[in-house]
Amino acid sequence: MINVVGMGYIGLPTALMLASSGQEVTGTDSNDKVVEQLNTRQINSDEKNLNDVFDKAISNDISFTNHCVKANIYIVAVPTPFDKTTKKIDPAFVIQAVKDVLLVAPKGAIVVIESTISPGTIKNHIKPLATQFGFTLGGNIHFAHAPERIIPGNMIYELQHNSRTIGADEKSVGEQIKALYSSFCQGDIILTDIETAEMTKVVENTYRDINIAFANELAKICHINGLDVYEIIKIANKHPRVNILQPGPGVGGHCISVDPWFLVGDYSDTAKLTKAAREINDSMPAFVLDRTKTIMAENGVTDNSRVGIYGLTYKENVNDVRESPTLQLHDIVGEDYGFAYYDPYIGRDIVKRQYHDLDKFLANTDIIVIMTAHNEILENVNKLADKIVFDTRNKLNVGRKTYKL
Ligand code: SAJ
């Protein structure tokens, strides 16, 4: 039996993939409503192919509970927020999940932490729990770390094809977990020690954040010197060893905008480039706001309600608003500033003056700020023909007037 703890963005797809590949799986979540929805197959995800995998998992008798069950292997995939003040990881959810596991785990069980955690978390916060719950670490209880690399919007494909890292203290445990993930993962599975696995995961996202920060800083420089940052990046990337990412309105999501802070929090005197990159990316919503105000002035728009912010999610074609640049911008201006908002993926009201129909949103606005380039707006560019468009994603070439970063 495999018990996957945490039916969220990572835990649910992982549980379904394991079950659909023939493993006996129980998915556990502390939220009774989530458990009930899963047991009655009410969850319909926008993730490509997730619904097919779900059906296969059900045919292989996956079950969902609000408590941990006896299992040979536990996979913990719960949130790991960072403390906004200290920038250090808040491991409370992971610690609580492991405590819940250790209350029912049989001797000899393996507990795999999938959650992204800062280097040293398992050593400092998780391993000490073994003794507290009457186990002998490395004797009748084992821990491992198996961070994921899947990207929202393409999770199932990436679960099957991305290479993976497994960190374990004992080689035999690493091999056992590698065999388990090989039941659905066709990528390379690299075995290493736990702290290396913890650090590697954080490093991957930090690398991406620094790369994006360079693109964003370039965008600001090019706004000063009047050059086209997109043209410069496109040409520079022709170099065989250059791969500059794209500038944007900021960096959102629960990963790239969070993980680098673990390094800053733990190595504050050393992680200077990492910190600077986070500060550059976090400065982009304010940069977008300043540019929007200039565009309003240039076009004689004085009424904030005539400005429409398109996109509330942190990136295109997902329904995730965590750390979204639009919500960062909304926090800067405040909820009564008057901008209109719209996102086809967000059906519930999360900000004031949020529209739920594209045509109504466009009918009541003159300047459209593209914060998230959902396929919906790419397929409806014709509706922007008479608009002033500030395209922070450089995905559209439309509008009676178009501005870019
Ligand atoms: N972004 C840019 N410019 C770019 C690329 C992204 O501004 O060129 C922005 C996006 O709009 C978004 C943010 O960065 O706001 C993050 O988006 P993302 O697609 O880069 O990353 P995530 O957070 O969806 O997923 C990342 C991935 N990590 C890497 O690509 C190194 C994914 O593989 C991880 O599994 C995931 O973090 C995670 O869970 O850690």
Side-chain angles (χ1 to χ4, degrees):
M1 167 63 81
I2 320 287
N3 188 189
V4 182
V5 183
M7 291 292 101
Y9 292 88
I10 302 306
L12 178 59
T14 303
L16 298 178
M17 287 299 284
L18 283 165
S20 64
S21 66
Q23 303 288 336
E24 188 190 3
V25 177
T26 297
T28 296
D29 199 285
S30 56
N31 182 324
D32 289 337
K33 193 160 174 298
V34 167
V35 173
E36 203 264 333
Q37 286 176 337
L38 289 168
N39 273 322
T40 53
R41 188 66 177 80
Q42 285 171 46
I43 295 233
N44 278 304
S45 164
D46 293 325
E47 274 294 333
K48 265 197 300 283
N49 306 327
L50 187 71
N51 294 323
D52 299 345
V53 172
F54 204 137
D55 293 337
K56 190 139 184 263
I58 287 176
S59 66
N60 285 346
D61 299 323
I62 189 169
S63 61
F64 299 98
T65 64
N66 63 1
H67 56 278
C68 297
V69 298
K70 277 206 179 309
N72 315 83
I73 296 176
Y74 294 87
I75 296 177
V76 173
V78 295
T80 48
F82 73 103
D83 181 302
K84 301 268 187 201
T85 315
T86 66
K87 306 299 184 192
K88 289 180 179 293
I89 186 174
D90 173 3
F93 291 113
V94 175
I95 292 169
Q96 187 52 56
V98 172
K99 284 180 177 176
D100 295 345
V101 162
L102 295 179
L103 277 173
V104 300
K107 302 290 185 226
I110 298 174
V111 183
V112 181
I113 311 292
E114 273 218 10
S115 305
T116 302
I117 47 182
S118 56
T121 299
I122 290 178
K123 181 177 70 178
N124 300 328
H125 299 289
I126 305 300
K127 285 182 176 176
L129 298 176
T131 320
Q132 284 176 37
F133 283 77
F135 288 94
T136 309
L137 186 63
N140 57 17
I141 195 78
H142 309 275
F143 292 107
H145 183 42
E148 45 67 35
R149 287 177 168 144
I150 55 183
I151 202 156
N154 199 22
M155 284 189 167
I156 297 303
Y157 177 84
E158 293 210 341
L159 269 173
Q160 290 165 330
H161 295 90
N162 284 4
S163 59
R164 290 200 76 126
T165 311
I166 307 279
D169 291 338
E170 303 100 346
K171 192 166 170 42
S172 60
V173 170
E175 291 295 350
Q176 209 175 323
I177 301 304
K178 178 174 180 176
L180 175 68
Y181 280 91
S182 302
S183 66
F184 64 80
C185 173
Q186 300 153 35
D188 291 341
I189 299 182
I190 318 282
L191 295 186
T192 185
D193 64 272
I194 288 177
E195 281 201 58
T196 300
E198 291 170 326
M199 178 60 95
T200 306
K201 170 66 189 178
V202 173
V203 160
E204 289 161 9
N205 284 345
T206 301
Y207 160 78
R208 191 164 171 87
D209 195 50
I210 290 171
N211 189 328
I212 296 165
F214 178 52
N216 285 333
E217 185 165 87
L218 270 182
K220 290 184 173 182
I221 290 169
C222 290
H223 181 62
I224 294 166
N225 64 25
L227 292 174
D228 179 339
V229 64
Y230 306 103
E231 179 75 357
I232 288 166
I233 290 173
K234 188 177 76 174
I235 297 171
N237 282 350
K238 293 293 183 193
H239 187 295
R241 286 177 298 286
V242 173
N243 177 29
I244 304 166
L245 291 175
Q246 290 298 305
V251 169
H254 181 62
C255 315
I256 305 277
S257 63
V258 171
D259 298 355
W261 284 124
F262 296 164
L263 293 182
V264 176
D266 290 344
Y267 306 95
S268 53
D269 295 337
T270 310
K272 298 181 188 303
L273 173 63
T274 303
K275 184 166 187 261
R278 283 277 71 243
E279 288 165 348
I280 290 167
N281 288 334
D282 280 354
S283 76
M284 292 312 286
F287 180 71
V288 167
L289 177 61
D290 289 346
R291 292 288 309 281
T292 301
K293 289 176 180 173
T294 305
I295 292 165
M296 288 174 72
E298 279 177 14
N299 294 278
V301 175
T302 54
D303 179 352
N304 291 338
S305 70
R306 302 301 299 176
V307 175
I309 310 293
Y310 181 94
L312 285 160
T313 62
Y314 80 92
K315 69 176 190 177
E316 69 282 357
N317 306 324
V318 298
N319 62 7
D320 188 345
V321 296
R322 292 177 297 176
E323 314 293 331
S324 129
T326 301
L327 293 184
Q328 293 175 47
L329 183 150
H330 179 266
D331 288 347
I332 295 169
V333 299
E335 64 174 8
D336 297 319
Y337 191 73
F339 284 162
Y341 297 86
Y342 166 76
D343 190 308
Y345 281 80
I346 307 299
R348 70 202 188 285
D349 279 334
I350 61 173
V351 292
K352 281 187 180 171
R353 303 201 71 251
Q354 181 179 343
Y355 285 80
H356 294 283
D357 175 87
L358 177 61
D359 293 330
K360 289 198 180 83
F361 170 68
L362 295 176
N364 289 285
T365 48
D366 301 317
I367 296 176
I368 308 298
V369 182
I370 305 292
M371 296 290 281
T372 309
H374 292 307
N375 289 341
E376 180 208 50
I377 198 61
L378 304 184
E379 291 153 11
N380 285 280
V381 283
N382 58 310
K383 296 182 178 178
L384 298 176
D386 66 341
K387 299 293 180 187
I388 299 163
V389 178
F390 177 20
D391 177 12
T392 74
R393 296 292 186 172
N394 188 37
K395 294 286 187 188
L396 312 167
N397 270 310
V398 70
R400 63 186 169 86
K401 253 190 181 181
T402 299
Y403 296 82
K404 308 254 183 187
L405 271 186

